[in-house]
Amino acid sequence: MTPVGRKPDDGERYRFILETAARLICERSYEGTSMQEIAAACRMTKAGLYHHIQNKEQLLFAIMNYGMDLFEEQVLAKVRDIADPVERLRSCMRRNIELVTRGVSKEVIIILHEHATLTGEAREYIDGRKKRYVRFIEDAFAEAVKAGRFRPMDPTIVAFSFLGMVLWVYKWFKPDGRMTEQQISDGMVDLFFVGLSPAGTAAPGLSLLPPSTPKEEAS
Amino acid sequence: MTPVGRKPDDGERYRFILETAARLICERSYEGTSMQEIAAACRMTKAGLYHHIQNKEQLLFAIMNYGMDLFEEQVLAKVRDIADPVERLRSCMRRNIELVTRGVSKEVIIILHEHATLTGEAREYIDGRKKRYVRFIEDAFAEAVKAGRFRPMDPTIVAFSFLGMVLWVYKWFKPDGRMTEQQISDGMVDLFFVGLSPAGTAAPGLSLLPPSTPKEEAS
């Protein structure tokens, strides 16, 4: 099974179909969007659409894979090589919030919203890609605990709390709202990594600076 | 506009329709469920169903109102009168997690998942009920800041971070998974209220106990 399933000779048309379908599905949900409507929005016949796409579920699968590619390119790849685990997590949180708040990422919104729509092998494949991200957060957290930067806790709780804060943003963020993307990002990083305590930044253990040895620049 | 719109003389049948429709919508999404299927699952004709329900959107609206009633009864009403604001928030987090992890709350899952499905007045009405909950968290947080228990932060960031952690649980929780409801609840309360810092519970400001002077009971 190729994750995307496109014919290599018509990649541009294929990309256009994915983008168009993602926009419709994002607006109306997967179940609320018909292949007929997708074909019309692409200015194609339904038969023409089926020349490029096997079926609707394959289309959703391709959109989600594209969204995961986007996510890995714009978040994971940019932070994975940061040597300090706390800075790696902080930077990861910021970039993930940006990805959710920027309207361009309709494929990412679809991954978040249609979490239970795919079935069978396709579902497993996407879930596997998501799990690698959870593992990445768990590992960075464990590394920070080992270095005495965080206290020991269940890494899965920490990972899903991190993700819940960050990904829930798609439910309530309004581009024209009171808070900017930057304020949300600053506020959540501050809350998650420094905490609610009034002792706050004063306590020595709460320092978010890496240990005094200079950090290598990775990548 | 009555939020539920039922005829008072057939409340039981109406309740059965709501429960059945909520189960289907929870499994297949709102767009993926037809009135025909809801009627069949209720062992009624479509005409019989329309005797009780004006239309599909009205049905979704009634389910969401029922979910909000459940939430207010099982979460808000139980914690609203706790005098200590930190304890009020902790208790609120626990009860909200329970509401999401317990499979009975399909109406609550529908509120969470179909956040953008309703339109017009119905949407505004449900959004208003949700906003009152956000305000409740913001107010308790502000009270805790005023009492010197938390450091000052944007209350909206705190409220939506709290909600993100807690409500995202519906996306990943599996009743047969490694973690029990209790472990998730203990872990998240610990993370949110004590924080990641290795200074942790040792720092004086981090005490979660109310101050020594007895507080008045607020209603």
Side-chain angles (χ1 to χ4, degrees), chain B residues 8-42:
Chain B
D9 55 343
D10 44 19
E12 211 168 302
R13 169 51 61 109
Y14 185 78
R15 164 78 29 241
F16 173 72
I17 294 170
L18 285 198
E19 292 275 353
T20 307
R23 184 169 46 75
L24 291 187
I25 292 173
C26 215
E27 282 166 19
R28 310 171 186 188
S29 88
Y30 175 74
E31 292 292 351
T33 310
S34 70
M35 286 297 266
Q36 183 62 61
E37 289 165 325
I38 293 168
C42 294

PDB file of all heavy atoms in Angstrom, chain B residues 8-42:
ATOM      1  N   PRO B   8     -44.675  18.169  26.772  1.00  0.00           N
ATOM      2  CA  PRO B   8     -44.535  17.668  28.130  1.00  0.00           C
ATOM      3  C   PRO B   8     -45.215  16.310  28.339  1.00  0.00           C
ATOM      4  O   PRO B   8     -44.847  15.558  29.207  1.00  0.00           O
ATOM      5  CB  PRO B   8     -45.180  18.754  28.993  1.00  0.00           C
ATOM      6  CG  PRO B   8     -45.896  19.663  28.052  1.00  0.00           C
ATOM      7  CD  PRO B   8     -45.356  19.456  26.699  1.00  0.00           C
ATOM      8  N   ASP B   9     -46.183  15.954  27.477  1.00  0.00           N
ATOM      9  CA  ASP B   9     -46.921  14.714  27.708  1.00  0.00           C
ATOM     10  C   ASP B   9     -46.246  13.457  27.156  1.00  0.00           C
ATOM     11  O   ASP B   9     -46.706  12.354  27.374  1.00  0.00           O
ATOM     12  CB  ASP B   9     -48.348  14.831  27.145  1.00  0.00           C
ATOM     13  CG  ASP B   9     -48.306  15.213  25.672  1.00  0.00           C
ATOM     14  OD1 ASP B   9     -47.252  15.683  25.216  1.00  0.00           O
ATOM     15  OD2 ASP B   9     -49.316  15.017  24.982  1.00  0.00           O
ATOM     16  N   ASP B  10     -45.199  13.608  26.402  1.00  0.00           N
ATOM     17  CA  ASP B  10     -44.530  12.394  25.948  1.00  0.00           C
ATOM     18  C   ASP B  10     -43.026  12.458  26.212  1.00  0.00           C
ATOM     19  O   ASP B  10     -42.214  12.157  25.354  1.00  0.00           O
ATOM     20  CB  ASP B  10     -44.839  12.077  24.496  1.00  0.00           C
ATOM     21  CG  ASP B  10     -44.761  13.300  23.606  1.00  0.00           C
ATOM     22  OD1 ASP B  10     -44.127  14.302  24.029  1.00  0.00           O
ATOM     23  OD2 ASP B  10     -45.313  13.274  22.514  1.00  0.00           O
ATOM     24  N   GLY B  11     -42.735  12.850  27.429  1.00  0.00           N
ATOM     25  CA  GLY B  11     -41.336  13.034  27.816  1.00  0.00           C
ATOM     26  C   GLY B  11     -40.507  11.772  27.723  1.00  0.00           C
ATOM     27  O   GLY B  11     -39.341  11.824  27.332  1.00  0.00           O
ATOM     28  N   GLU B  12     -41.107  10.651  28.020  1.00  0.00           N
ATOM     29  CA  GLU B  12     -40.330   9.422  28.065  1.00  0.00           C
ATOM     30  C   GLU B  12     -39.912   8.975  26.665  1.00  0.00           C
ATOM     31  O   GLU B  12     -38.774   8.592  26.432  1.00  0.00           O
ATOM     32  CB  GLU B  12     -41.167   8.326  28.724  1.00  0.00           C
ATOM     33  CG  GLU B  12     -40.318   7.324  29.466  1.00  0.00           C
ATOM     34  CD  GLU B  12     -41.186   6.432  30.331  1.00  0.00           C
ATOM     35  OE1 GLU B  12     -41.919   6.977  31.197  1.00  0.00           O
ATOM     36  OE2 GLU B  12     -41.151   5.214  30.119  1.00  0.00           O
ATOM     37  N   ARG B  13     -40.852   9.019  25.764  1.00  0.00           N
ATOM     38  CA  ARG B  13     -40.575   8.683  24.374  1.00  0.00           C
ATOM     39  C   ARG B  13     -39.525   9.633  23.798  1.00  0.00           C
ATOM     40  O   ARG B  13     -38.601   9.231  23.105  1.00  0.00           O
ATOM     41  CB  ARG B  13     -41.903   8.750  23.582  1.00  0.00           C
ATOM     42  CG  ARG B  13     -41.809   8.691  22.056  1.00  0.00           C
ATOM     43  CD  ARG B  13     -40.973   7.536  21.561  1.00  0.00           C
ATOM     44  NE  ARG B  13     -41.457   6.234  21.915  1.00  0.00           N
ATOM     45  CZ  ARG B  13     -41.987   5.372  21.069  1.00  0.00           C
ATOM     46  NH1 ARG B  13     -42.103   5.678  19.798  1.00  0.00           N
ATOM     47  NH2 ARG B  13     -42.380   4.185  21.478  1.00  0.00           N
ATOM     48  N   TYR B  14     -39.678  10.906  24.154  1.00  0.00           N
ATOM     49  CA  TYR B  14     -38.742  11.936  23.700  1.00  0.00           C
ATOM     50  C   TYR B  14     -37.327  11.659  24.202  1.00  0.00           C
ATOM     51  O   TYR B  14     -36.354  11.733  23.457  1.00  0.00           O
ATOM     52  CB  TYR B  14     -39.229  13.295  24.209  1.00  0.00           C
ATOM     53  CG  TYR B  14     -38.418  14.457  23.704  1.00  0.00           C
ATOM     54  CD1 TYR B  14     -38.601  14.950  22.418  1.00  0.00           C
ATOM     55  CD2 TYR B  14     -37.458  15.044  24.520  1.00  0.00           C
ATOM     56  CE1 TYR B  14     -37.848  16.011  21.957  1.00  0.00           C
ATOM     57  CE2 TYR B  14     -36.709  16.113  24.063  1.00  0.00           C
ATOM     58  CZ  TYR B  14     -36.904  16.591  22.780  1.00  0.00           C
ATOM     59  OH  TYR B  14     -36.152  17.640  22.327  1.00  0.00           O
ATOM     60  N   ARG B  15     -37.219  11.303  25.466  1.00  0.00           N
ATOM     61  CA  ARG B  15     -35.925  10.977  26.077  1.00  0.00           C
ATOM     62  C   ARG B  15     -35.278   9.790  25.351  1.00  0.00           C
ATOM     63  O   ARG B  15     -34.083   9.784  25.063  1.00  0.00           O
ATOM     64  CB  ARG B  15     -36.174  10.670  27.581  1.00  0.00           C
ATOM     65  CG  ARG B  15     -35.107   9.973  28.356  1.00  0.00           C
ATOM     66  CD  ARG B  15     -33.937  10.846  28.799  1.00  0.00           C
ATOM     67  NE  ARG B  15     -34.280  12.215  29.014  1.00  0.00           N
ATOM     68  CZ  ARG B  15     -33.752  13.233  28.331  1.00  0.00           C
ATOM     69  NH1 ARG B  15     -32.842  13.026  27.399  1.00  0.00           N
ATOM     70  NH2 ARG B  15     -34.123  14.470  28.582  1.00  0.00           N
ATOM     71  N   PHE B  16     -36.115   8.778  25.028  1.00  0.00           N
ATOM     72  CA  PHE B  16     -35.629   7.597  24.308  1.00  0.00           C
ATOM     73  C   PHE B  16     -35.094   7.989  22.917  1.00  0.00           C
ATOM     74  O   PHE B  16     -34.056   7.505  22.476  1.00  0.00           O
ATOM     75  CB  PHE B  16     -36.772   6.567  24.184  1.00  0.00           C
ATOM     76  CG  PHE B  16     -36.433   5.395  23.309  1.00  0.00           C
ATOM     77  CD1 PHE B  16     -35.536   4.422  23.744  1.00  0.00           C
ATOM     78  CD2 PHE B  16     -37.019   5.251  22.050  1.00  0.00           C
ATOM     79  CE1 PHE B  16     -35.223   3.331  22.925  1.00  0.00           C
ATOM     80  CE2 PHE B  16     -36.706   4.169  21.234  1.00  0.00           C
ATOM     81  CZ  PHE B  16     -35.804   3.210  21.669  1.00  0.00           C
ATOM     82  N   ILE B  17     -35.781   8.884  22.248  1.00  0.00           N
ATOM     83  CA  ILE B  17     -35.313   9.353  20.930  1.00  0.00           C
ATOM     84  C   ILE B  17     -33.965  10.060  21.051  1.00  0.00           C
ATOM     85  O   ILE B  17     -33.032   9.790  20.296  1.00  0.00           O
ATOM     86  CB  ILE B  17     -36.360  10.303  20.272  1.00  0.00           C
ATOM     87  CG1 ILE B  17     -37.640   9.523  19.941  1.00  0.00           C
ATOM     88  CG2 ILE B  17     -35.795  10.950  19.013  1.00  0.00           C
ATOM     89  CD1 ILE B  17     -38.801  10.416  19.515  1.00  0.00           C
ATOM     90  N   LEU B  18     -33.862  10.943  22.037  1.00  0.00           N
ATOM     91  CA  LEU B  18     -32.592  11.670  22.237  1.00  0.00           C
ATOM     92  C   LEU B  18     -31.437  10.702  22.499  1.00  0.00           C
ATOM     93  O   LEU B  18     -30.360  10.829  21.917  1.00  0.00           O
ATOM     94  CB  LEU B  18     -32.685  12.627  23.428  1.00  0.00           C
ATOM     95  CG  LEU B  18     -33.466  13.927  23.282  1.00  0.00           C
ATOM     96  CD1 LEU B  18     -33.069  14.905  24.381  1.00  0.00           C
ATOM     97  CD2 LEU B  18     -33.261  14.567  21.919  1.00  0.00           C
ATOM     98  N   GLU B  19     -31.670   9.737  23.374  1.00  0.00           N
ATOM     99  CA  GLU B  19     -30.625   8.769  23.746  1.00  0.00           C
ATOM    100  C   GLU B  19     -30.191   7.956  22.524  1.00  0.00           C
ATOM    101  O   GLU B  19     -29.005   7.727  22.306  1.00  0.00           O
ATOM    102  CB  GLU B  19     -31.164   7.787  24.805  1.00  0.00           C
ATOM    103  CG  GLU B  19     -31.445   8.403  26.156  1.00  0.00           C
ATOM    104  CD  GLU B  19     -30.201   8.464  27.033  1.00  0.00           C
ATOM    105  OE1 GLU B  19     -29.165   7.903  26.644  1.00  0.00           O
ATOM    106  OE2 GLU B  19     -30.280   9.096  28.115  1.00  0.00           O
ATOM    107  N   THR B  20     -31.192   7.518  21.758  1.00  0.00           N
ATOM    108  CA  THR B  20     -30.904   6.686  20.584  1.00  0.00           C
ATOM    109  C   THR B  20     -30.153   7.502  19.528  1.00  0.00           C
ATOM    110  O   THR B  20     -29.151   7.044  18.964  1.00  0.00           O
ATOM    111  CB  THR B  20     -32.226   6.142  19.994  1.00  0.00           C
ATOM    112  OG1 THR B  20     -32.947   5.509  21.052  1.00  0.00           O
ATOM    113  CG2 THR B  20     -31.972   5.154  18.873  1.00  0.00           C
ATOM    114  N   ALA B  21     -30.630   8.703  19.266  1.00  0.00           N
ATOM    115  CA  ALA B  21     -29.981   9.565  18.273  1.00  0.00           C
ATOM    116  C   ALA B  21     -28.558   9.897  18.715  1.00  0.00           C
ATOM    117  O   ALA B  21     -27.627   9.891  17.900  1.00  0.00           O
ATOM    118  CB  ALA B  21     -30.792  10.840  18.083  1.00  0.00           C
ATOM    119  N   ALA B  22     -28.377  10.151  20.008  1.00  0.00           N
ATOM    120  CA  ALA B  22     -27.041  10.490  20.520  1.00  0.00           C
ATOM    121  C   ALA B  22     -26.084   9.324  20.285  1.00  0.00           C
ATOM    122  O   ALA B  22     -24.935   9.514  19.889  1.00  0.00           O
ATOM    123  CB  ALA B  22     -27.111  10.848  22.003  1.00  0.00           C
ATOM    124  N   ARG B  23     -26.562   8.095  20.505  1.00  0.00           N
ATOM    125  CA  ARG B  23     -25.708   6.925  20.293  1.00  0.00           C
ATOM    126  C   ARG B  23     -25.279   6.840  18.821  1.00  0.00           C
ATOM    127  O   ARG B  23     -24.100   6.678  18.512  1.00  0.00           O
ATOM    128  CB  ARG B  23     -26.448   5.660  20.738  1.00  0.00           C
ATOM    129  CG  ARG B  23     -25.633   4.389  20.661  1.00  0.00           C
ATOM    130  CD  ARG B  23     -26.331   3.210  21.359  1.00  0.00           C
ATOM    131  NE  ARG B  23     -27.748   3.069  21.018  1.00  0.00           N
ATOM    132  CZ  ARG B  23     -28.229   2.596  19.856  1.00  0.00           C
ATOM    133  NH1 ARG B  23     -27.400   2.202  18.914  1.00  0.00           N
ATOM    134  NH2 ARG B  23     -29.531   2.507  19.651  1.00  0.00           N
ATOM    135  N   LEU B  24     -26.224   6.995  17.915  1.00  0.00           N
ATOM    136  CA  LEU B  24     -25.897   6.921  16.484  1.00  0.00           C
ATOM    137  C   LEU B  24     -24.945   8.039  16.065  1.00  0.00           C
ATOM    138  O   LEU B  24     -23.961   7.806  15.366  1.00  0.00           O
ATOM    139  CB  LEU B  24     -27.170   7.007  15.628  1.00  0.00           C
ATOM    140  CG  LEU B  24     -28.131   5.824  15.670  1.00  0.00           C
ATOM    141  CD1 LEU B  24     -29.228   6.013  14.625  1.00  0.00           C
ATOM    142  CD2 LEU B  24     -27.408   4.511  15.399  1.00  0.00           C
ATOM    143  N   ILE B  25     -25.254   9.267  16.484  1.00  0.00           N
ATOM    144  CA  ILE B  25     -24.426  10.415  16.083  1.00  0.00           C
ATOM    145  C   ILE B  25     -23.019  10.283  16.657  1.00  0.00           C
ATOM    146  O   ILE B  25     -22.027  10.622  16.011  1.00  0.00           O
ATOM    147  CB  ILE B  25     -25.098  11.742  16.513  1.00  0.00           C
ATOM    148  CG1 ILE B  25     -26.375  11.963  15.684  1.00  0.00           C
ATOM    149  CG2 ILE B  25     -24.147  12.919  16.374  1.00  0.00           C
ATOM    150  CD1 ILE B  25     -27.217  13.148  16.121  1.00  0.00           C
ATOM    151  N   CYS B  26     -22.930   9.748  17.858  1.00  0.00           N
ATOM    152  CA  CYS B  26     -21.631   9.555  18.492  1.00  0.00           C
ATOM    153  C   CYS B  26     -20.807   8.550  17.682  1.00  0.00           C
ATOM    154  O   CYS B  26     -19.611   8.723  17.503  1.00  0.00           O
ATOM    155  CB  CYS B  26     -21.856   9.039  19.913  1.00  0.00           C
ATOM    156  SG  CYS B  26     -20.664   9.657  21.077  1.00  0.00           S
ATOM    157  N   GLU B  27     -21.450   7.520  17.161  1.00  0.00           N
ATOM    158  CA  GLU B  27     -20.748   6.491  16.385  1.00  0.00           C
ATOM    159  C   GLU B  27     -20.399   6.955  14.969  1.00  0.00           C
ATOM    160  O   GLU B  27     -19.348   6.642  14.444  1.00  0.00           O
ATOM    161  CB  GLU B  27     -21.638   5.241  16.243  1.00  0.00           C
ATOM    162  CG  GLU B  27     -21.692   4.364  17.474  1.00  0.00           C
ATOM    163  CD  GLU B  27     -22.844   3.347  17.404  1.00  0.00           C
ATOM    164  OE1 GLU B  27     -23.357   3.072  16.299  1.00  0.00           O
ATOM    165  OE2 GLU B  27     -23.231   2.856  18.473  1.00  0.00           O
ATOM    166  N   ARG B  28     -21.339   7.674  14.332  1.00  0.00           N
ATOM    167  CA  ARG B  28     -21.197   7.940  12.892  1.00  0.00           C
ATOM    168  C   ARG B  28     -21.047   9.412  12.541  1.00  0.00           C
ATOM    169  O   ARG B  28     -21.006   9.745  11.347  1.00  0.00           O
ATOM    170  CB  ARG B  28     -22.462   7.457  12.163  1.00  0.00           C
ATOM    171  CG  ARG B  28     -22.857   6.052  12.512  1.00  0.00           C
ATOM    172  CD  ARG B  28     -24.220   5.728  11.931  1.00  0.00           C
ATOM    173  NE  ARG B  28     -24.666   4.420  12.390  1.00  0.00           N
ATOM    174  CZ  ARG B  28     -25.738   3.790  11.947  1.00  0.00           C
ATOM    175  NH1 ARG B  28     -26.483   4.355  11.023  1.00  0.00           N
ATOM    176  NH2 ARG B  28     -26.079   2.604  12.421  1.00  0.00           N
ATOM    177  N   SER B  29     -21.064  10.291  13.486  1.00  0.00           N
ATOM    178  CA  SER B  29     -21.044  11.749  13.317  1.00  0.00           C
ATOM    179  C   SER B  29     -22.430  12.250  12.898  1.00  0.00           C
ATOM    180  O   SER B  29     -23.248  11.485  12.406  1.00  0.00           O
ATOM    181  CB  SER B  29     -19.990  12.239  12.313  1.00  0.00           C
ATOM    182  OG  SER B  29     -20.498  12.269  10.998  1.00  0.00           O
ATOM    183  N   TYR B  30     -22.632  13.530  13.102  1.00  0.00           N
ATOM    184  CA  TYR B  30     -23.930  14.145  12.783  1.00  0.00           C
ATOM    185  C   TYR B  30     -24.241  14.033  11.301  1.00  0.00           C
ATOM    186  O   TYR B  30     -25.329  13.596  10.912  1.00  0.00           O
ATOM    187  CB  TYR B  30     -23.884  15.617  13.215  1.00  0.00           C
ATOM    188  CG  TYR B  30     -25.111  16.415  12.836  1.00  0.00           C
ATOM    189  CD1 TYR B  30     -26.306  16.245  13.521  1.00  0.00           C
ATOM    190  CD2 TYR B  30     -25.056  17.340  11.802  1.00  0.00           C
ATOM    191  CE1 TYR B  30     -27.428  16.985  13.175  1.00  0.00           C
ATOM    192  CE2 TYR B  30     -26.169  18.086  11.460  1.00  0.00           C
ATOM    193  CZ  TYR B  30     -27.359  17.912  12.145  1.00  0.00           C
ATOM    194  OH  TYR B  30     -28.467  18.635  11.806  1.00  0.00           O
ATOM    195  N   GLU B  31     -23.265  14.409  10.477  1.00  0.00           N
ATOM    196  CA  GLU B  31     -23.498  14.388   9.035  1.00  0.00           C
ATOM    197  C   GLU B  31     -23.680  12.961   8.521  1.00  0.00           C
ATOM    198  O   GLU B  31     -24.329  12.729   7.518  1.00  0.00           O
ATOM    199  CB  GLU B  31     -22.346  15.068   8.288  1.00  0.00           C
ATOM    200  CG  GLU B  31     -22.249  16.574   8.504  1.00  0.00           C
ATOM    201  CD  GLU B  31     -23.408  17.349   7.874  1.00  0.00           C
ATOM    202  OE1 GLU B  31     -24.201  16.765   7.120  1.00  0.00           O
ATOM    203  OE2 GLU B  31     -23.512  18.550   8.168  1.00  0.00           O
ATOM    204  N   GLY B  32     -23.081  12.011   9.227  1.00  0.00           N
ATOM    205  CA  GLY B  32     -23.133  10.626   8.788  1.00  0.00           C
ATOM    206  C   GLY B  32     -24.379   9.872   9.248  1.00  0.00           C
ATOM    207  O   GLY B  32     -24.501   8.675   8.997  1.00  0.00           O
ATOM    208  N   THR B  33     -25.283  10.564   9.938  1.00  0.00           N
ATOM    209  CA  THR B  33     -26.482   9.904  10.456  1.00  0.00           C
ATOM    210  C   THR B  33     -27.717  10.550   9.831  1.00  0.00           C
ATOM    211  O   THR B  33     -27.874  11.771   9.891  1.00  0.00           O
ATOM    212  CB  THR B  33     -26.551  10.089  11.998  1.00  0.00           C
ATOM    213  OG1 THR B  33     -25.299   9.714  12.561  1.00  0.00           O
ATOM    214  CG2 THR B  33     -27.653   9.234  12.606  1.00  0.00           C
ATOM    215  N   SER B  34     -28.582   9.746   9.241  1.00  0.00           N
ATOM    216  CA  SER B  34     -29.795  10.312   8.623  1.00  0.00           C
ATOM    217  C   SER B  34     -30.980  10.182   9.580  1.00  0.00           C
ATOM    218  O   SER B  34     -30.982   9.330  10.479  1.00  0.00           O
ATOM    219  CB  SER B  34     -30.108   9.581   7.319  1.00  0.00           C
ATOM    220  OG  SER B  34     -30.544   8.272   7.603  1.00  0.00           O
ATOM    221  N   MET B  35     -31.991  11.001   9.366  1.00  0.00           N
ATOM    222  CA  MET B  35     -33.220  10.923  10.169  1.00  0.00           C
ATOM    223  C   MET B  35     -33.875   9.556   9.959  1.00  0.00           C
ATOM    224  O   MET B  35     -34.495   9.010  10.863  1.00  0.00           O
ATOM    225  CB  MET B  35     -34.170  12.059   9.780  1.00  0.00           C
ATOM    226  CG  MET B  35     -33.746  13.421  10.292  1.00  0.00           C
ATOM    227  SD  MET B  35     -33.696  13.549  12.108  1.00  0.00           S
ATOM    228  CE  MET B  35     -35.343  14.219  12.431  1.00  0.00           C
ATOM    229  N   GLN B  36     -33.744   9.011   8.747  1.00  0.00           N
ATOM    230  CA  GLN B  36     -34.262   7.685   8.446  1.00  0.00           C
ATOM    231  C   GLN B  36     -33.628   6.637   9.382  1.00  0.00           C
ATOM    232  O   GLN B  36     -34.320   5.795   9.968  1.00  0.00           O
ATOM    233  CB  GLN B  36     -33.931   7.355   6.978  1.00  0.00           C
ATOM    234  CG  GLN B  36     -34.466   6.033   6.490  1.00  0.00           C
ATOM    235  CD  GLN B  36     -35.991   6.001   6.554  1.00  0.00           C
ATOM    236  OE1 GLN B  36     -36.668   6.790   5.904  1.00  0.00           O
ATOM    237  NE2 GLN B  36     -36.539   5.101   7.357  1.00  0.00           N
ATOM    238  N   GLU B  37     -32.314   6.721   9.554  1.00  0.00           N
ATOM    239  CA  GLU B  37     -31.609   5.761  10.418  1.00  0.00           C
ATOM    240  C   GLU B  37     -31.999   5.948  11.883  1.00  0.00           C
ATOM    241  O   GLU B  37     -32.138   4.971  12.619  1.00  0.00           O
ATOM    242  CB  GLU B  37     -30.093   5.932  10.271  1.00  0.00           C
ATOM    243  CG  GLU B  37     -29.560   5.441   8.929  1.00  0.00           C
ATOM    244  CD  GLU B  37     -28.138   5.919   8.626  1.00  0.00           C
ATOM    245  OE1 GLU B  37     -27.778   7.069   9.010  1.00  0.00           O
ATOM    246  OE2 GLU B  37     -27.392   5.152   8.003  1.00  0.00           O
ATOM    247  N   ILE B  38     -32.167   7.207  12.282  1.00  0.00           N
ATOM    248  CA  ILE B  38     -32.577   7.466  13.669  1.00  0.00           C
ATOM    249  C   ILE B  38     -33.984   6.901  13.908  1.00  0.00           C
ATOM    250  O   ILE B  38     -34.222   6.225  14.910  1.00  0.00           O
ATOM    251  CB  ILE B  38     -32.516   8.982  13.992  1.00  0.00           C
ATOM    252  CG1 ILE B  38     -31.044   9.452  13.973  1.00  0.00           C
ATOM    253  CG2 ILE B  38     -33.152   9.292  15.350  1.00  0.00           C
ATOM    254  CD1 ILE B  38     -30.852  10.959  13.979  1.00  0.00           C
ATOM    255  N   ALA B  39     -34.878   7.119  12.952  1.00  0.00           N
ATOM    256  CA  ALA B  39     -36.236   6.583  13.073  1.00  0.00           C
ATOM    257  C   ALA B  39     -36.191   5.057  13.182  1.00  0.00           C
ATOM    258  O   ALA B  39     -36.828   4.468  14.081  1.00  0.00           O
ATOM    259  CB  ALA B  39     -37.082   7.023  11.878  1.00  0.00           C
ATOM    260  N   ALA B  40     -35.411   4.423  12.311  1.00  0.00           N
ATOM    261  CA  ALA B  40     -35.319   2.953  12.319  1.00  0.00           C
ATOM    262  C   ALA B  40     -34.796   2.450  13.666  1.00  0.00           C
ATOM    263  O   ALA B  40     -35.337   1.495  14.238  1.00  0.00           O
ATOM    264  CB  ALA B  40     -34.427   2.481  11.177  1.00  0.00           C
ATOM    265  N   ALA B  41     -33.747   3.119  14.188  1.00  0.00           N
ATOM    266  CA  ALA B  41     -33.171   2.683  15.466  1.00  0.00           C
ATOM    267  C   ALA B  41     -34.166   2.874  16.616  1.00  0.00           C
ATOM    268  O   ALA B  41     -34.111   2.165  17.624  1.00  0.00           O
ATOM    269  CB  ALA B  41     -31.875   3.441  15.745  1.00  0.00           C
ATOM    270  N   CYS B  42     -35.081   3.835  16.456  1.00  0.00           N
ATOM    271  CA  CYS B  42     -36.119   4.066  17.478  1.00  0.00           C
ATOM    272  C   CYS B  42     -37.344   3.173  17.236  1.00  0.00           C
ATOM    273  O   CYS B  42     -38.331   3.276  17.964  1.00  0.00           O
ATOM    274  CB  CYS B  42     -36.570   5.536  17.474  1.00  0.00           C
ATOM    275  SG  CYS B  42     -35.315   6.692  17.982  1.00  0.00           S
TER     276      CYS B  42
END
